[in-house]
């Protein structure tokens, strides 16, 4: 397997050298803003084909789950005239420590779906980029927003407030019905899903709900995904969440990433008075919160690495005791095409939340599904609809795979390691981004979802590796440095190529070569 990595690394490295040379001559601008691919201005109101709403009849679509995907999808499809029934286990305001940062690319999709007002009236904060810290050094990395409308930026907020706003927006449509209940299973008949079985809140009696299409988006803890995909869930780390009060970030309206030992620490505002801190702890097991071991770990291991401006508030937050934890899950999309049912969101695909790209992927996926369903007058031919919707998993790949790969690769590069090659790669990544200009704008355009281009991701990743090797070999190479450089290239290949392989090389880089990409809507 190593020889494949070496061949891939050599090719990618040569491309990266050419790429860097081209960047020196001309700065590439990200194309202008708040426009669709057809150049039309994105506005809040729906402009899709409007179908006759079926308010009193059986719904066209059942959506399982009313999180980010379920709520936004219900509003989007309901606005297009579909009869939508949403069944959510708990409609009270959720309290989570992730899903709090929406990247600028995700905000553009929010505008395209007509949901941009959902970040209003929840004390959401505008985010204009990142600050990166390492070994006492820091650098500011702004999003490349120069060619976009002034309103375009990231948004950070309390996750639960954002979800409730989207649920309210969806339920405001007369043809969208939200109800609270636990879906226990899918109703299948001769291999076709006809609906769901569920228990309404406060009622132990199982009821059934029927629709031509059931969309399952019940999140990372999905109990329905096993019959619809091949779940290969990995838990590389856990996030420990705190809320800091009575302090200011060193760079206002920026996310802060500290390249700490053993893994990154994140800070970003979630209201005008609160800062979220997420401490990454590698592995599935974390020190006990209830037993006090976690507080001791945070005070002795993490606190000395926190920026001085936040140190006092960080310790105060630990003493306050409201410490939460959440496993960070990754899972490549591996769906089983099933007539009558469809998987979306974290139920089918997850990535490390380090880069905050989850909601950008989710909202981009909803745009793809909306555009696929718009030409269809009815959804009753389940086998034909299944074949047609299979194209979704290819059409979503350029955006989803770029953000997924970047999240996985950055997490591995940002974690500390005793390996000299990995240390050099980590240091080079910080210094490469610190160069500014195209060297930071390109990676930030990828991370923010403004330019989710797989080829650009690979070129920048190996440009960092070449930059690291160049620093090792100049001005005079030694055998030891040459050996470290060779291991660095091999290690970089071992980081990114397995992630790309899991995403699917052909779907990621050559989606037009996949037959499902070209499938036309079934004739109704």
């Amino acid at each position: 397997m190593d020889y494949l990595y070496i061949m891939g690394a050599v090719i990618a490295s040569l491309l990266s050298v050419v790429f860097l040379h081209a960047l020196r001559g001309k700065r590439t601008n990200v194309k202008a803003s708040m426009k669709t691919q057809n150049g039309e201005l994105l506005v809040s109101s729906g402009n899709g084909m409007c179908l006759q709403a079926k308010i009193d009849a059986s719904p066209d679509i059942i959506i399982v789950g009313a999180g980010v995907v379920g709520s936004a999808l219900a509003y989007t499809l309901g606005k297009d005239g579909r009869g939508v029934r949403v069944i959510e286990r708990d409609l009270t305001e959720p309290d989570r420590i992730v899903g709090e940062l929406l990247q600028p690319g995700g905000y553009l999709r929010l505008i395209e779906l007509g949901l941009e007002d959902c970040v209003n009236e929840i004390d959401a904060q505008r985010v204009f980029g990142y600050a990166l810290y390492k070994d006492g050094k820091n650098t500011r990395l702004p999003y490349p927003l120069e060619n976009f409308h002034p309103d375009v930026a990231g948004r950070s907020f309390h996750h639960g407030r954002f979800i409730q706003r989207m649920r309210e927006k969806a339920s405001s449509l007369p043809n969208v019905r939200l109800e609270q209940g636990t879906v226990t299973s899918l109703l299948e008949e001769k291999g076709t899903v006809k609906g769901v079985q569920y228990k309404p809140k406060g009622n132990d009696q199982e009821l059934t709900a029927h629709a031509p299409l059931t969309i399952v988006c019940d999140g990372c803890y999905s109990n329905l995904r096993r019959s619809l995909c091949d779940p290969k869930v990995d838990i590389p780390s856990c996030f420990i969440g705190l809320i800091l009060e009575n302090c200011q970030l060193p760079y206002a309206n920026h996310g802060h990433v500290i390249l700490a030992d053993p893994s990154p620490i994140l800070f970003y505002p979630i209201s005008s008075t609160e800062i979220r801190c997420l401490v990454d702890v590698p592995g599935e097991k974390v020190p006990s919160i209830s037993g006090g071991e976690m507080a001791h770990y945070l005070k002795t291991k993490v606190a000395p690495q926190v920026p001085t401006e936040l140190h006092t508030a960080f310790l105060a937050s630990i003493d306050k005791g409201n410490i939460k934890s959440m496993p960070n899950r990754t899972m490549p999309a591996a769906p089983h095409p099933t007539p009558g049912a469809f998987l979306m969101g974290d139920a089918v695909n997850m990535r490390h939340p380090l880069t905050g790209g989850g909601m950008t992927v989710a909202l981009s996926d909803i745009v793809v599904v909306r555009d696929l369903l718009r030409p269809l007058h009815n959804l009753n031919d389940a086998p034909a609809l299944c074949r047609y919707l299979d194209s979704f998993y290819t059409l979503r790949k350029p955006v989803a795979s770029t953000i997924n790969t970047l999240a996985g690769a950055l997490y591995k590069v940002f974690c500390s390691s005793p390996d000299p090659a990995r240390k050099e790669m980590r240091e080079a990544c910080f210094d490469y981004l610190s160069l500014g200009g195209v060297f930071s704008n390109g990676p930030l355009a990828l991370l923010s979802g403004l330019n989710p281009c797989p080829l650009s991701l690979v070129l920048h990743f190996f440009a960092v590796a070449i930059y690291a090797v160049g620093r090792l070999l100049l001005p005079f190479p030694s055998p030891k440095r040459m050996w470290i450089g060779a291991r660095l290239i091999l290690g970089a290949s071992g980081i990114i190529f397995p992630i790309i392989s899991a995403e699917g090389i052909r779907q990621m880089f050559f989606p037009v070569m996949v037959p499902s990409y070209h499938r036309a809507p079934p004739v109704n």
Side-chain angles (χ1 to χ4, degrees):
M1 190 60 129
D2 285 350
Y3 78 90
L4 292 177
Y5 291 165
I6 294 170
M7 289 177 62
V10 170
I11 295 170
S13 300
L14 290 173
L15 288 172
S16 298
V17 171
V18 175
F19 180 61
L20 280 174
H21 180 72
L23 288 181
R24 292 180 62 189
K26 184 177 180 180
R27 176 176 175 173
T28 303
N29 288 327
V30 180
K31 293 288 180 183
S33 76
M34 302 189 72
K35 293 185 178 181
T36 65
Q37 291 179 345
N38 296 324
E40 297 174 349
L41 183 66
L42 298 181
V43 293
S44 302
S45 60
N47 58 356
M49 183 182 72
C50 198
L51 304 174
Q52 181 64 39
K54 299 179 181 179
I55 300 173
D56 299 320
S58 297
D60 298 307
I61 297 169
I62 291 173
I63 295 176
V64 181
V68 173
V69 178
S71 301
L73 184 63
Y75 175 76
T76 301
L77 298 180
K79 192 172 59 170
D80 276 1
R82 304 285 184 187
V84 181
R85 183 176 183 179
V86 185
I87 304 175
E88 162 61 35
R89 182 183 59 82
D90 186 358
L91 285 172
T92 60
E93 183 174 311
D95 183 15
R96 297 181 64 194
I97 62 172
V98 294
E100 299 171 318
L101 177 61
L102 179 66
Q103 297 287 3
Y107 183 67
L108 284 174
R109 301 290 79 75
L110 207 66
I111 294 170
E112 188 172 355
L113 296 171
L115 289 164
E116 70 273 21
D117 57 343
C118 290
V119 298
N120 299 336
E121 301 177 9
I122 60 172
D123 201 15
Q125 303 298 297
R126 289 161 65 85
V127 178
F128 298 108
Y130 283 86
L132 196 60
Y133 283 71
K134 185 181 184 298
D135 299 334
K137 302 179 292 183
N138 68 82
T139 183
R140 189 175 74 89
L141 306 171
Y143 292 133
L145 298 172
E146 297 84 359
N147 297 309
F148 288 82
H149 187 279
D151 186 51
V152 176
R155 294 293 193 282
S156 54
F157 37 68
H158 280 272
H159 173 81
R161 297 176 188 174
F162 179 60
I163 294 297
Q164 292 301 88
R165 287 280 290 162
M166 289 206 295
R167 289 173 178 173
E168 292 168 9
K169 187 92 170 179
S171 61
S172 69
L173 297 176
N175 50 321
V176 176
R177 174 185 170 191
L178 269 71
E179 60 183 299
Q180 188 162 293
T182 301
V183 175
T184 56
S185 63
L186 300 173
L187 288 174
E188 289 194 42
E189 183 180 314
K190 297 179 180 178
T192 298
V193 174
K194 299 291 187 178
V196 298
Q197 284 187 313
Y198 73 103
K199 291 181 180 179
K201 183 184 178 184
N203 188 347
D204 289 334
Q205 182 182 1
E206 269 198 350
L207 304 179
T208 61
H210 296 82
L213 180 62
T214 299
I215 301 179
V216 176
C217 39
D218 53 348
C220 60
Y221 298 105
S222 174
N223 65 338
L224 302 177
R225 66 159 67 106
R226 288 195 176 276
S227 59
L228 300 174
C229 76
D230 182 19
K232 296 180 180 178
V233 180
D234 184 34
I235 303 178
S237 67
C238 297
F239 266 158
I240 307 303
L242 301 166
I243 291 181
L244 279 57
E245 300 173 321
N246 304 315
C247 64
Q248 298 292 325
L249 287 166
Y251 294 91
N253 298 103
H254 282 65
H256 290 58
V257 182
I258 291 79
L259 303 189
D261 178 20
S263 52
I265 306 168
L266 308 180
F267 296 93
Y268 52 88
I270 56 173
S271 75
S272 54
T273 60
E274 298 165 301
I275 294 169
R276 168 66 72 196
C277 171
L278 294 175
V279 178
D280 185 85
V281 179
E284 296 186 41
K285 294 183 179 180
V286 299
S288 170
I289 295 176
S290 59
E293 289 90 347
M294 178 59 73
H296 178 74
Y297 175 83
L298 293 174
K299 286 183 177 181
T300 58
K301 179 70 173 178
V302 179
Q305 303 180 77
V306 170
T308 54
E309 298 92 333
L310 303 172
H311 190 265
T312 301
F314 181 79
L315 293 176
S317 180
I318 298 170
D319 291 335
K320 194 173 180 180
N322 190 21
I323 303 172
K324 297 181 179 179
S325 68
M326 183 171 182
N328 295 324
R329 293 173 169 82
T330 66
M331 186 179 78
H336 300 154
T338 305
F342 191 59
L343 268 179
M344 290 187 67
D346 284 351
V348 70
N349 184 209
M350 294 180 281
R351 78 287 311 150
H352 197 286
L354 173 69
T355 58
M359 288 190 287
T360 301
V361 172
L363 295 170
S364 298
D365 284 354
I366 292 171
V367 172
V368 175
V369 169
R370 178 201 65 185
D371 293 344
L372 285 172
L373 291 179
R374 270 183 173 173
L376 305 182
H377 292 280
N378 70 69
L379 309 174
N380 292 313
D381 188 345
L385 181 63
C386 177
R387 288 191 296 272
Y388 172 60
L389 288 180
D390 188 43
S391 63
F392 163 75
Y393 296 109
T394 298
L395 294 170
R396 71 184 291 270
K397 275 294 179 178
V399 174
S401 60
T402 300
I403 292 173
N404 294 346
T405 304
L406 179 65
L410 267 188
Y411 177 70
K412 291 185 178 181
V413 171
F414 281 178
C415 287
S416 64
S417 171
D419 182 1
R422 288 283 296 273
K423 282 183 178 179
E424 191 63 36
M425 183 74 174
R426 191 180 191 225
E427 181 72 30
C429 185
F430 178 88
D431 291 343
Y432 180 90
L433 294 171
S434 300
L435 293 173
V438 292
F439 302 102
S440 65
N441 283 349
L444 265 291
L446 291 164
L447 183 146
S448 62
L450 295 172
N451 179 35
C453 174
L455 182 59
S456 178
L457 167 62
V458 172
L459 291 176
H460 273 289
F461 186 82
F462 278 98
V464 172
I466 294 299
Y467 176 69
V469 172
R471 300 194 319 172
L472 280 169
L473 300 184
L474 295 175
F476 300 108
S478 65
K480 180 180 178 181
R481 286 174 170 265
M482 291 174 66
W483 172 240
I484 292 174
R487 289 180 53 221
L488 190 152
I489 293 293
L490 185 61
S493 303
I495 288 174
I496 198 168
F497 287 150
I499 303 174
I500 290 174
S501 178
E503 290 292 327
I505 295 173
R506 189 166 61 147
Q507 287 182 308
M508 185 170 176
F509 294 97
F510 313 104
V512 294
M513 295 177 62
V514 180
S516 64
Y517 182 90
H518 304 281
R519 285 182 185 158
V523 178
N524 294 137

